[in-house]
Amino acid sequence: MAETYHIVPESQHNSLVEAAYVKRGFLRDEAVDGARLCADASRHGIRTHNALKALHLDHLFGSGSKGCVPGAVIEEIPTRFSATRVWNAHRKLGQPTAYRAMEAAITLADTHGVGVVSVDDAFHYLWGGGYVMDAAKRGYIAYTNCTAALAEVVPFGGKFPTLGTNPHSWGFPTTAAVGFPIVIDWATSVIAMGRVQQLKREGLPLPPNAALDRKGEPTVDPHQAVSLVPFGAHKGYGLALINELVGGFIGGSLPTLRSRWDTEPEEKHTCSFFFQVIHPDALSSGAFAKGRDQAANVKAVLRDILGHGNERCLLPGQVEADWARRSAEAGGLLFTRSEMEAFNELAAEAGVAKWPISSARTATF
Amino acid sequence: MAETYHIVPESQHNSLVEAAYVKRGFLRDEAVDGARLCADASRHGIRTHNALKALHLDHLFGSGSKGCVPGAVIEEIPTRFSATRVWNAHRKLGQPTAYRAMEAAITLADTHGVGVVSVDDAFHYLWGGGYVMDAAKRGYIAYTNCTAALAEVVPFGGKFPTLGTNPHSWGFPTTAAVGFPIVIDWATSVIAMGRVQQLKREGLPLPPNAALDRKGEPTVDPHQAVSLVPFGAHKGYGLALINELVGGFIGGSLPTLRSRWDTEPEEKHTCSFFFQVIHPDALSSGAFAKGRDQAANVKAVLRDILGHGNERCLLPGQVEADWARRSAEAGGLLFTRSEMEAFNELAAEAGVAKWPISSARTATF
């Protein structure tokens, strides 16, 4: 079903989003990084992590609560190791923290082949795929995971939500091979809680085996659903557990207390981030068949995977790359009318000029 | 349903398995590592990767074919990086290659916080969980993936198998927290091809959405199944793709040609391995709530996850830990009667004494 989008130049989008962050007390450079990630998300069609979502989450769990501290200074923890760093973000805004951490991991990987940056006491970085895509576009193999803001997911075989939706994001420098970086990026629940709320509004049932009711029993009724199920049974459960374990080793506290600042003040209530970058040269044996170089070899592998009748399969990151092409062709970010109106509520909050809606160019896809 | 197992002392098991490897031309130290991993698998109840499977795979794809070269010497590729190593295994037996690679990654992690060892031109290492469990018992966070011997898995939305069952294995040093290392270890297909063959023998249907027929259509008839489906739709597909991408960056060739030595001799036909170790101190912010140390914090996190009504959930690695306890109590490895008979066929091949079956002690679980 075709949808009409209003076209908003990135500079116009970023000005408004930066103003909204600054109005809430964030520093100019924090606001710039905050807007940058949201622009990246919108440009790639990641509507669940656009600026509206970012500023809403900041209001609910961030500077509007106790989860995020504008102007917080990242503390680097001393370490005896050469290829790893640990930071205490002291609840700094997630986007600037994540950009800096990925940058530091890249610098480490340039010297050591691999670099790891762990971040304690962090605030939600929104779209992990954005950071790894960025690194992959610059030629690196990148990975990040984080503990999600709320414990909404029930361990496999359990009744009560004690795990975050805990996403994993991998990016690979495959632009030379397929025209865009392969980005594998998803939460470890079958669906997101936002999807439950959307289906509730639309009066539609949930997919089976995606959510549980108050008693811990499976339900397809979005009105009864209070918790989520990991994808792939014990396999997705294991993947969700990884983030909690890594977070626990870093410094994260009890998952059921995350973002719940009204309980147990002596416990921590923040997220943990893990970033890793590998320089592709650090993996190469140099012994590629048929005299290929590394990029040509990766291209040949991908062509084999998508050959033999699999030509219609998508590569992860392809939908996002298609959106970015569409945005570039339109000359701006693409928003629905209701999104435009929501941006204008932000403009009112920030005390800046509203966007012209009726005169904005549109595109229909 | 209770099963009766024959109890075989590990020394007796290892003698036979070592003799079988030596008979096939492997060096003594290769045979020792080969037997060690199989004993580890059997001790932990991993019956799909016991010595019978190892020696059968060696016959089909290894020294009985062109996939594995007894006595091969690992070549270390020069690198400019400090925390990563790349090896060309020149088709050495997988178990000694993997043990050495994990050891090298541990040594790197001791200095750099993280260590990565990539291995090109490798032969199947069997049970990835065994290597990460080993490292986790020694206090490290370990990860490995490899490209599986055959392309049996169809990309999400495709028709033809172009991906391996491509397992991922993570191990965490949680013995202080829960009594055993958490080991998350599975293939990225819904089921293994061995499971298809087992259900065929038993005349039972496959689970739905696990396998495809010759036309690329879903089937529950094990006689029609020729390829497998990734678990979790596009998410498992992404995970399977990771191993092919990493393998492609290392030096692996086209997935559909792996282990198919009769086709395209100018291409490579071997697997790739990736190992990574992180020292847990390299993650720690030191800022654990309530004055906990890192181990106590991880314990508190796990207790929270398995609390609140989730007390009956299992942690990944728990079933394996229970089997190891059972094996220790029995005083040996546990094999069914038909496994005992298969071991005696190996004894005949190796020219060593058969195991006494009727006089072996048994245990029933």
mmCIF file of all heavy atoms in Angstrom, chain A residues 82 112 120 159-160 187 189 235 248-250 252 256 267-268 276 285 287 292 294 297 304-305 310, chain B residues 82 112 120 159-160 187 189 235 248-250 252 256 267-268 276 285 287 292 294 297 304 310:
data_model
loop_
_atom_site.group_PDB
_atom_site.id
_atom_site.type_symbol
_atom_site.label_atom_id
_atom_site.label_comp_id
_atom_site.label_asym_id
_atom_site.label_seq_id
_atom_site.Cartn_x
_atom_site.Cartn_y
_atom_site.Cartn_z
ATOM 1 N N SER A 82 45.703 -3.375 26.564
ATOM 2 C CA SER A 82 46.025 -2.428 25.486
ATOM 3 C C SER A 82 44.928 -2.289 24.435
ATOM 4 O O SER A 82 44.835 -1.250 23.784
ATOM 5 C CB SER A 82 47.330 -2.842 24.808
ATOM 6 O OG SER A 82 47.197 -4.123 24.240
ATOM 7 N N HIS A 112 45.624 -2.701 17.003
ATOM 8 C CA HIS A 112 45.655 -4.035 17.599
ATOM 9 C C HIS A 112 44.924 -5.077 16.761
ATOM 10 O O HIS A 112 44.973 -6.259 17.069
ATOM 11 C CB HIS A 112 45.053 -3.970 19.009
ATOM 12 C CG HIS A 112 45.767 -3.006 19.904
ATOM 13 N ND1 HIS A 112 47.032 -3.246 20.400
ATOM 14 C CD2 HIS A 112 45.424 -1.772 20.363
ATOM 15 C CE1 HIS A 112 47.428 -2.214 21.136
ATOM 16 N NE2 HIS A 112 46.472 -1.306 21.128
ATOM 17 N N ASP A 120 29.662 1.430 31.018
ATOM 18 C CA ASP A 120 28.780 1.236 32.166
ATOM 19 C C ASP A 120 27.963 2.510 32.389
ATOM 20 O O ASP A 120 28.343 3.587 31.932
ATOM 21 C CB ASP A 120 29.629 0.932 33.400
ATOM 22 C CG ASP A 120 28.785 0.501 34.598
ATOM 23 O OD1 ASP A 120 27.643 0.052 34.390
ATOM 24 O OD2 ASP A 120 29.287 0.606 35.732
ATOM 25 N N LYS A 159 8.060 -17.446 33.209
ATOM 26 C CA LYS A 159 6.753 -16.805 33.370
ATOM 27 C C LYS A 159 6.838 -15.288 33.429
ATOM 28 O O LYS A 159 5.872 -14.595 33.116
ATOM 29 C CB LYS A 159 6.113 -17.273 34.699
ATOM 30 C CG LYS A 159 5.817 -18.763 34.789
ATOM 31 C CD LYS A 159 4.573 -19.122 34.011
ATOM 32 C CE LYS A 159 4.196 -20.588 34.147
ATOM 33 N NZ LYS A 159 3.088 -20.941 33.233
ATOM 34 N N PHE A 160 7.955 -14.773 33.889
ATOM 35 C CA PHE A 160 8.041 -13.354 34.264
ATOM 36 C C PHE A 160 9.159 -12.670 33.475
ATOM 37 O O PHE A 160 10.229 -13.239 33.300
ATOM 38 C CB PHE A 160 8.308 -13.261 35.774
ATOM 39 C CG PHE A 160 8.205 -11.861 36.323
ATOM 40 C CD1 PHE A 160 6.963 -11.340 36.677
ATOM 41 C CD2 PHE A 160 9.332 -11.061 36.474
ATOM 42 C CE1 PHE A 160 6.863 -10.041 37.192
ATOM 43 C CE2 PHE A 160 9.232 -9.774 36.984
ATOM 44 C CZ PHE A 160 7.995 -9.263 37.341
ATOM 45 N N ALA A 187 16.350 -7.029 17.677
ATOM 46 C CA ALA A 187 16.125 -7.356 19.081
ATOM 47 C C ALA A 187 15.964 -8.870 19.201
ATOM 48 O O ALA A 187 15.686 -9.566 18.228
ATOM 49 C CB ALA A 187 14.874 -6.659 19.590
ATOM 50 N N SER A 189 13.670 -10.389 21.027
ATOM 51 C CA SER A 189 12.278 -10.812 21.195
ATOM 52 C C SER A 189 11.662 -11.036 19.814
ATOM 53 O O SER A 189 12.158 -10.509 18.824
ATOM 54 C CB SER A 189 11.490 -9.748 21.960
ATOM 55 O OG SER A 189 11.642 -8.484 21.351
ATOM 56 N N LYS A 235 17.330 -20.563 21.660
ATOM 57 C CA LYS A 235 18.426 -19.891 20.957
ATOM 58 C C LYS A 235 18.364 -18.374 21.150
ATOM 59 O O LYS A 235 19.358 -17.732 21.490
ATOM 60 C CB LYS A 235 18.437 -20.298 19.481
ATOM 61 C CG LYS A 235 18.682 -21.804 19.299
ATOM 62 C CD LYS A 235 18.831 -22.242 17.841
ATOM 63 C CE LYS A 235 19.032 -23.751 17.767
ATOM 64 N NZ LYS A 235 19.237 -24.258 16.390
ATOM 65 N N GLY A 248 26.453 -7.539 33.047
ATOM 66 C CA GLY A 248 26.791 -7.886 34.432
ATOM 67 C C GLY A 248 28.293 -7.856 34.682
ATOM 68 O O GLY A 248 28.747 -7.437 35.753
ATOM 69 N N PHE A 249 29.078 -8.300 33.695
ATOM 70 C CA PHE A 249 30.543 -8.225 33.827
ATOM 71 C C PHE A 249 31.024 -6.778 33.787
ATOM 72 O O PHE A 249 32.009 -6.420 34.413
ATOM 73 C CB PHE A 249 31.232 -9.043 32.720
ATOM 74 C CG PHE A 249 31.297 -10.517 33.018
ATOM 75 C CD1 PHE A 249 30.401 -11.412 32.440
ATOM 76 C CD2 PHE A 249 32.255 -11.019 33.886
ATOM 77 C CE1 PHE A 249 30.457 -12.775 32.717
ATOM 78 C CE2 PHE A 249 32.325 -12.379 34.168
ATOM 79 C CZ PHE A 249 31.411 -13.263 33.589
ATOM 80 N N ILE A 250 30.342 -5.939 32.995
ATOM 81 C CA ILE A 250 30.741 -4.527 32.882
ATOM 82 C C ILE A 250 30.424 -3.772 34.171
ATOM 83 O O ILE A 250 31.252 -3.031 34.699
ATOM 84 C CB ILE A 250 30.029 -3.854 31.681
ATOM 85 C CG1 ILE A 250 30.542 -4.440 30.357
ATOM 86 C CG2 ILE A 250 30.248 -2.330 31.724
ATOM 87 C CD1 ILE A 250 29.784 -3.959 29.117
ATOM 88 N N GLY A 252 26.558 -3.590 35.043
ATOM 89 C CA GLY A 252 25.105 -3.467 35.076
ATOM 90 C C GLY A 252 24.519 -4.170 36.286
ATOM 91 O O GLY A 252 25.063 -5.162 36.759
ATOM 92 N N THR A 256 15.675 -6.490 36.203
ATOM 93 C CA THR A 256 14.289 -6.089 36.489
ATOM 94 C C THR A 256 14.208 -4.691 37.107
ATOM 95 O O THR A 256 13.104 -4.142 37.231
ATOM 96 C CB THR A 256 13.587 -7.080 37.441
ATOM 97 O OG1 THR A 256 14.328 -7.146 38.660
ATOM 98 C CG2 THR A 256 13.482 -8.463 36.823
ATOM 99 N N GLU A 267 20.669 -0.004 44.243
ATOM 100 C CA GLU A 267 21.006 -0.729 43.013
ATOM 101 C C GLU A 267 21.158 0.271 41.863
ATOM 102 O O GLU A 267 20.694 1.408 41.961
ATOM 103 C CB GLU A 267 19.902 -1.749 42.662
ATOM 104 C CG GLU A 267 19.787 -2.912 43.627
ATOM 105 C CD GLU A 267 20.859 -3.981 43.430
ATOM 106 O OE1 GLU A 267 21.716 -3.831 42.532
ATOM 107 O OE2 GLU A 267 20.840 -4.955 44.196
ATOM 108 N N LYS A 268 21.775 -0.156 40.759
ATOM 109 C CA LYS A 268 21.870 0.690 39.580
ATOM 110 C C LYS A 268 20.658 0.463 38.682
ATOM 111 O O LYS A 268 20.036 -0.598 38.701
ATOM 112 C CB LYS A 268 23.164 0.392 38.811
ATOM 113 C CG LYS A 268 24.379 1.002 39.487
ATOM 114 C CD LYS A 268 25.647 0.340 39.053
ATOM 115 C CE LYS A 268 26.190 0.911 37.776
ATOM 116 N NZ LYS A 268 27.494 0.255 37.447
ATOM 117 N N GLN A 276 32.579 -3.482 19.648
ATOM 118 C CA GLN A 276 33.779 -4.182 19.187
ATOM 119 C C GLN A 276 34.004 -3.883 17.714
ATOM 120 O O GLN A 276 33.057 -3.906 16.915
ATOM 121 C CB GLN A 276 33.606 -5.676 19.376
ATOM 122 C CG GLN A 276 34.773 -6.463 18.824
ATOM 123 C CD GLN A 276 34.657 -7.923 19.161
ATOM 124 O OE1 GLN A 276 34.580 -8.293 20.325
ATOM 125 N NE2 GLN A 276 34.631 -8.753 18.152
ATOM 126 N N SER A 285 43.882 -14.256 5.734
ATOM 127 C CA SER A 285 44.999 -15.194 5.539
ATOM 128 C C SER A 285 45.771 -14.859 4.273
ATOM 129 O O SER A 285 46.875 -15.354 4.064
ATOM 130 C CB SER A 285 44.467 -16.616 5.419
ATOM 131 O OG SER A 285 43.874 -16.802 4.130
ATOM 132 N N ALA A 287 45.232 -16.043 1.541
ATOM 133 C CA ALA A 287 45.235 -17.222 0.668
ATOM 134 C C ALA A 287 43.863 -17.419 0.023
ATOM 135 O O ALA A 287 43.228 -18.454 0.177
ATOM 136 C CB ALA A 287 45.637 -18.454 1.477
ATOM 137 N N ARG A 292 41.999 -14.081 -5.885
ATOM 138 C CA ARG A 292 41.152 -12.950 -5.482
ATOM 139 C C ARG A 292 41.790 -12.154 -4.346
ATOM 140 O O ARG A 292 42.549 -12.702 -3.550
ATOM 141 C CB ARG A 292 39.803 -13.457 -4.974
ATOM 142 C CG ARG A 292 38.957 -14.169 -5.998
ATOM 143 C CD ARG A 292 37.609 -14.569 -5.339
ATOM 144 N NE ARG A 292 36.936 -15.549 -6.150
ATOM 145 C CZ ARG A 292 36.682 -16.826 -5.784
ATOM 146 N NH1 ARG A 292 37.043 -17.267 -4.600
ATOM 147 N NH2 ARG A 292 36.078 -17.635 -6.605
ATOM 148 N N GLN A 294 40.717 -9.808 -0.838
ATOM 149 C CA GLN A 294 39.706 -10.062 0.194
ATOM 150 C C GLN A 294 38.321 -9.590 -0.232
ATOM 151 O O GLN A 294 37.326 -10.311 -0.083
ATOM 152 C CB GLN A 294 40.129 -9.383 1.495
ATOM 153 C CG GLN A 294 39.302 -9.791 2.698
ATOM 154 C CD GLN A 294 39.717 -9.029 3.947
ATOM 155 O OE1 GLN A 294 39.910 -7.810 3.918
ATOM 156 N NE2 GLN A 294 39.873 -9.738 5.051
ATOM 157 N N ASN A 297 36.854 -11.777 -2.777
ATOM 158 C CA ASN A 297 36.474 -13.070 -2.208
ATOM 159 C C ASN A 297 35.129 -12.976 -1.499
ATOM 160 O O ASN A 297 34.253 -13.843 -1.670
ATOM 161 C CB ASN A 297 37.552 -13.549 -1.239
ATOM 162 C CG ASN A 297 37.378 -15.013 -0.875
ATOM 163 O OD1 ASN A 297 37.402 -15.880 -1.747
ATOM 164 N ND2 ASN A 297 37.168 -15.290 0.402
ATOM 165 N N ASP A 304 27.615 -16.477 -4.433
ATOM 166 C CA ASP A 304 27.278 -17.901 -4.330
ATOM 167 C C ASP A 304 26.043 -18.091 -3.446
ATOM 168 O O ASP A 304 25.122 -18.844 -3.791
ATOM 169 C CB ASP A 304 28.478 -18.653 -3.753
ATOM 170 C CG ASP A 304 28.302 -20.173 -3.796
ATOM 171 O OD1 ASP A 304 27.857 -20.689 -4.843
ATOM 172 O OD2 ASP A 304 28.617 -20.835 -2.789
ATOM 173 N N ILE A 305 26.010 -17.376 -2.322
ATOM 174 C CA ILE A 305 24.888 -17.524 -1.383
ATOM 175 C C ILE A 305 23.577 -17.085 -2.040
ATOM 176 O O ILE A 305 22.544 -17.739 -1.880
ATOM 177 C CB ILE A 305 25.167 -16.715 -0.093
ATOM 178 C CG1 ILE A 305 26.317 -17.369 0.681
ATOM 179 C CG2 ILE A 305 23.918 -16.608 0.785
ATOM 180 C CD1 ILE A 305 26.877 -16.522 1.812
ATOM 181 N N ASN A 310 18.385 -18.438 -5.420
ATOM 182 C CA ASN A 310 18.147 -17.571 -4.254
ATOM 183 C C ASN A 310 18.236 -16.092 -4.615
ATOM 184 O O ASN A 310 18.408 -15.249 -3.727
ATOM 185 C CB ASN A 310 19.181 -17.865 -3.160
ATOM 186 C CG ASN A 310 19.074 -19.289 -2.647
ATOM 187 O OD1 ASN A 310 18.008 -19.903 -2.710
ATOM 188 N ND2 ASN A 310 20.181 -19.817 -2.160
ATOM 189 N N SER B 82 48.603 -6.384 16.919
ATOM 190 C CA SER B 82 49.136 -6.993 18.140
ATOM 191 C C SER B 82 48.184 -7.958 18.838
ATOM 192 O O SER B 82 48.641 -8.852 19.546
ATOM 193 C CB SER B 82 49.548 -5.888 19.119
ATOM 194 O OG SER B 82 48.430 -5.109 19.471
ATOM 195 N N HIS B 112 46.214 -8.065 26.037
ATOM 196 C CA HIS B 112 45.510 -7.002 25.325
ATOM 197 C C HIS B 112 44.060 -6.824 25.795
ATOM 198 O O HIS B 112 43.379 -5.913 25.339
ATOM 199 C CB HIS B 112 45.543 -7.287 23.828
ATOM 200 C CG HIS B 112 46.947 -7.406 23.291
ATOM 201 N ND1 HIS B 112 47.781 -6.321 23.156
ATOM 202 C CD2 HIS B 112 47.677 -8.488 22.914
ATOM 203 C CE1 HIS B 112 48.957 -6.731 22.694
ATOM 204 N NE2 HIS B 112 48.929 -8.043 22.547
ATOM 205 N N ASP B 120 42.283 -20.195 8.572
ATOM 206 C CA ASP B 120 41.887 -20.517 7.208
ATOM 207 C C ASP B 120 42.268 -21.968 6.913
ATOM 208 O O ASP B 120 43.115 -22.549 7.589
ATOM 209 C CB ASP B 120 42.623 -19.569 6.252
ATOM 210 C CG ASP B 120 42.112 -19.698 4.816
ATOM 211 O OD1 ASP B 120 40.969 -20.167 4.615
ATOM 212 O OD2 ASP B 120 42.863 -19.328 3.900
ATOM 213 N N LYS B 159 15.538 -20.810 -2.037
ATOM 214 C CA LYS B 159 15.134 -22.139 -2.487
ATOM 215 C C LYS B 159 16.236 -23.172 -2.340
ATOM 216 O O LYS B 159 15.951 -24.369 -2.241
ATOM 217 C CB LYS B 159 14.772 -22.065 -3.995
ATOM 218 C CG LYS B 159 13.593 -21.191 -4.340
ATOM 219 C CD LYS B 159 12.287 -21.860 -3.993
ATOM 220 C CE LYS B 159 11.086 -21.011 -4.401
ATOM 221 N NZ LYS B 159 9.824 -21.609 -3.906
ATOM 222 N N PHE B 160 17.486 -22.742 -2.398
ATOM 223 C CA PHE B 160 18.596 -23.670 -2.563
ATOM 224 C C PHE B 160 19.590 -23.502 -1.411
ATOM 225 O O PHE B 160 19.882 -22.378 -0.998
ATOM 226 C CB PHE B 160 19.291 -23.380 -3.905
ATOM 227 C CG PHE B 160 20.318 -24.393 -4.291
ATOM 228 C CD1 PHE B 160 19.934 -25.572 -4.943
ATOM 229 C CD2 PHE B 160 21.665 -24.185 -4.016
ATOM 230 C CE1 PHE B 160 20.893 -26.514 -5.302
ATOM 231 C CE2 PHE B 160 22.627 -25.128 -4.371
ATOM 232 C CZ PHE B 160 22.235 -26.300 -5.019
ATOM 233 N N ALA B 187 23.658 -24.603 16.367
ATOM 234 C CA ALA B 187 23.695 -24.355 14.931
ATOM 235 C C ALA B 187 22.600 -23.352 14.585
ATOM 236 O O ALA B 187 21.649 -23.151 15.349
ATOM 237 C CB ALA B 187 23.479 -25.651 14.166
ATOM 238 N N SER B 189 20.560 -23.574 11.989
ATOM 239 C CA SER B 189 19.378 -24.188 11.381
ATOM 240 C C SER B 189 18.410 -24.593 12.492
ATOM 241 O O SER B 189 18.813 -24.759 13.644
ATOM 242 C CB SER B 189 19.782 -25.408 10.555
ATOM 243 O OG SER B 189 20.552 -26.296 11.328
ATOM 244 N N LYS B 235 16.331 -13.633 11.267
ATOM 245 C CA LYS B 235 17.324 -13.449 12.333
ATOM 246 C C LYS B 235 18.364 -14.579 12.309
ATOM 247 O O LYS B 235 19.570 -14.324 12.345
ATOM 248 C CB LYS B 235 16.634 -13.328 13.693
ATOM 249 C CG LYS B 235 15.737 -12.090 13.765
ATOM 250 C CD LYS B 235 15.133 -11.838 15.137
ATOM 251 C CE LYS B 235 14.210 -10.623 15.098
ATOM 252 N NZ LYS B 235 13.629 -10.284 16.414
ATOM 253 N N GLY B 248 34.650 -15.606 4.659
ATOM 254 C CA GLY B 248 35.050 -14.962 3.401
ATOM 255 C C GLY B 248 36.156 -13.936 3.607
ATOM 256 O O GLY B 248 37.062 -13.815 2.777
ATOM 257 N N PHE B 249 36.097 -13.202 4.713
ATOM 258 C CA PHE B 249 37.169 -12.245 5.032
ATOM 259 C C PHE B 249 38.470 -12.978 5.387
ATOM 260 O O PHE B 249 39.559 -12.493 5.104
ATOM 261 C CB PHE B 249 36.759 -11.316 6.183
ATOM 262 C CG PHE B 249 35.892 -10.164 5.759
ATOM 263 C CD1 PHE B 249 34.517 -10.185 5.939
ATOM 264 C CD2 PHE B 249 36.456 -9.043 5.152
ATOM 265 C CE1 PHE B 249 33.713 -9.121 5.530
ATOM 266 C CE2 PHE B 249 35.666 -7.975 4.746
ATOM 267 C CZ PHE B 249 34.288 -8.018 4.919
ATOM 268 N N ILE B 250 38.339 -14.147 6.035
ATOM 269 C CA ILE B 250 39.537 -14.906 6.431
ATOM 270 C C ILE B 250 40.203 -15.526 5.193
ATOM 271 O O ILE B 250 41.413 -15.426 5.019
ATOM 272 C CB ILE B 250 39.165 -16.015 7.450
ATOM 273 C CG1 ILE B 250 38.718 -15.393 8.780
ATOM 274 C CG2 ILE B 250 40.340 -16.968 7.659
ATOM 275 C CD1 ILE B 250 38.169 -16.398 9.791
ATOM 276 N N GLY B 252 37.963 -18.177 3.262
ATOM 277 C CA GLY B 252 37.088 -19.259 2.817
ATOM 278 C C GLY B 252 36.559 -18.990 1.419
ATOM 279 O O GLY B 252 36.373 -17.839 1.031
ATOM 280 N N THR B 256 28.974 -23.273 -1.358
ATOM 281 C CA THR B 256 28.396 -24.472 -1.989
ATOM 282 C C THR B 256 29.469 -25.469 -2.423
ATOM 283 O O THR B 256 29.136 -26.590 -2.810
ATOM 284 C CB THR B 256 27.524 -24.113 -3.213
ATOM 285 O OG1 THR B 256 28.345 -23.426 -4.169
ATOM 286 C CG2 THR B 256 26.341 -23.242 -2.821
ATOM 287 N N GLU B 267 39.087 -23.681 -6.763
ATOM 288 C CA GLU B 267 38.471 -23.072 -5.578
ATOM 289 C C GLU B 267 38.924 -23.828 -4.328
ATOM 290 O O GLU B 267 39.443 -24.936 -4.424
ATOM 291 C CB GLU B 267 36.934 -23.123 -5.680
ATOM 292 C CG GLU B 267 36.351 -22.224 -6.777
ATOM 293 C CD GLU B 267 36.291 -20.741 -6.404
ATOM 294 O OE1 GLU B 267 36.697 -20.393 -5.272
ATOM 295 O OE2 GLU B 267 35.862 -19.941 -7.255
ATOM 296 N N LYS B 268 38.703 -23.226 -3.150
ATOM 297 C CA LYS B 268 39.007 -23.919 -1.903
ATOM 298 C C LYS B 268 37.767 -24.678 -1.431
ATOM 299 O O LYS B 268 36.645 -24.322 -1.754
ATOM 300 C CB LYS B 268 39.458 -22.921 -0.838
ATOM 301 C CG LYS B 268 40.883 -22.452 -1.058
ATOM 302 C CD LYS B 268 41.158 -21.160 -0.349
ATOM 303 C CE LYS B 268 41.531 -21.383 1.088
ATOM 304 N NZ LYS B 268 41.887 -20.075 1.716
ATOM 305 N N GLN B 276 37.650 -15.998 19.644
ATOM 306 C CA GLN B 276 37.842 -14.735 20.353
ATOM 307 C C GLN B 276 37.757 -14.955 21.853
ATOM 308 O O GLN B 276 36.870 -15.673 22.325
ATOM 309 C CB GLN B 276 36.773 -13.744 19.937
ATOM 310 C CG GLN B 276 36.856 -12.448 20.720
ATOM 311 C CD GLN B 276 35.890 -11.416 20.188
ATOM 312 O OE1 GLN B 276 35.930 -11.083 19.015
ATOM 313 N NE2 GLN B 276 35.024 -10.945 21.036
ATOM 314 N N SER B 285 33.939 -2.159 34.907
ATOM 315 C CA SER B 285 34.000 -0.741 35.298
ATOM 316 C C SER B 285 34.379 -0.596 36.763
ATOM 317 O O SER B 285 34.715 0.492 37.216
ATOM 318 C CB SER B 285 32.633 -0.087 35.078
ATOM 319 O OG SER B 285 31.735 -0.499 36.100
ATOM 320 N N ALA B 287 32.418 -0.444 39.041
ATOM 321 C CA ALA B 287 31.365 0.320 39.729
ATOM 322 C C ALA B 287 30.119 -0.542 39.946
ATOM 323 O O ALA B 287 29.025 -0.192 39.490
ATOM 324 C CB ALA B 287 31.035 1.577 38.933
ATOM 325 N N ARG B 292 29.393 -4.913 45.392
ATOM 326 C CA ARG B 292 29.701 -6.270 44.907
ATOM 327 C C ARG B 292 30.997 -6.270 44.102
ATOM 328 O O ARG B 292 31.353 -5.264 43.495
ATOM 329 C CB ARG B 292 28.593 -6.756 43.965
ATOM 330 C CG ARG B 292 27.241 -6.933 44.600
ATOM 331 C CD ARG B 292 26.252 -7.450 43.534
ATOM 332 N NE ARG B 292 24.893 -7.292 43.999
ATOM 333 C CZ ARG B 292 23.977 -6.503 43.432
ATOM 334 N NH1 ARG B 292 24.253 -5.804 42.349
ATOM 335 N NH2 ARG B 292 22.765 -6.431 43.933
ATOM 336 N N GLN B 294 32.874 -8.297 40.710
ATOM 337 C CA GLN B 294 32.325 -8.681 39.410
ATOM 338 C C GLN B 294 31.576 -10.018 39.477
ATOM 339 O O GLN B 294 30.460 -10.146 38.955
ATOM 340 C CB GLN B 294 33.450 -8.749 38.374
ATOM 341 C CG GLN B 294 32.956 -8.858 36.942
ATOM 342 C CD GLN B 294 34.110 -8.993 35.966
ATOM 343 O OE1 GLN B 294 35.032 -9.779 36.168
ATOM 344 N NE2 GLN B 294 34.068 -8.224 34.894
ATOM 345 N N ASN B 297 28.357 -9.691 41.212
ATOM 346 C CA ASN B 297 27.394 -8.946 40.406
ATOM 347 C C ASN B 297 26.752 -9.846 39.348
ATOM 348 O O ASN B 297 25.532 -9.828 39.145
ATOM 349 C CB ASN B 297 28.092 -7.757 39.737
ATOM 350 C CG ASN B 297 27.096 -6.767 39.178
ATOM 351 O OD1 ASN B 297 26.278 -6.208 39.913
ATOM 352 N ND2 ASN B 297 27.122 -6.562 37.867
ATOM 353 N N ASP B 304 18.467 -12.714 39.528
ATOM 354 C CA ASP B 304 17.301 -11.890 39.166
ATOM 355 C C ASP B 304 16.590 -12.491 37.942
ATOM 356 O O ASP B 304 15.359 -12.598 37.916
ATOM 357 C CB ASP B 304 17.770 -10.467 38.868
ATOM 358 C CG ASP B 304 16.622 -9.484 38.674
ATOM 359 O OD1 ASP B 304 15.664 -9.527 39.483
ATOM 360 O OD2 ASP B 304 16.685 -8.670 37.746
ATOM 361 N N ASN B 310 10.589 -17.652 37.533
ATOM 362 C CA ASN B 310 11.358 -18.300 36.463
ATOM 363 C C ASN B 310 12.314 -19.360 36.998
ATOM 364 O O ASN B 310 13.253 -19.753 36.306
ATOM 365 C CB ASN B 310 12.171 -17.259 35.691
ATOM 366 C CG ASN B 310 11.291 -16.230 35.008
ATOM 367 O OD1 ASN B 310 10.145 -16.517 34.671
ATOM 368 N ND2 ASN B 310 11.821 -15.039 34.807
#
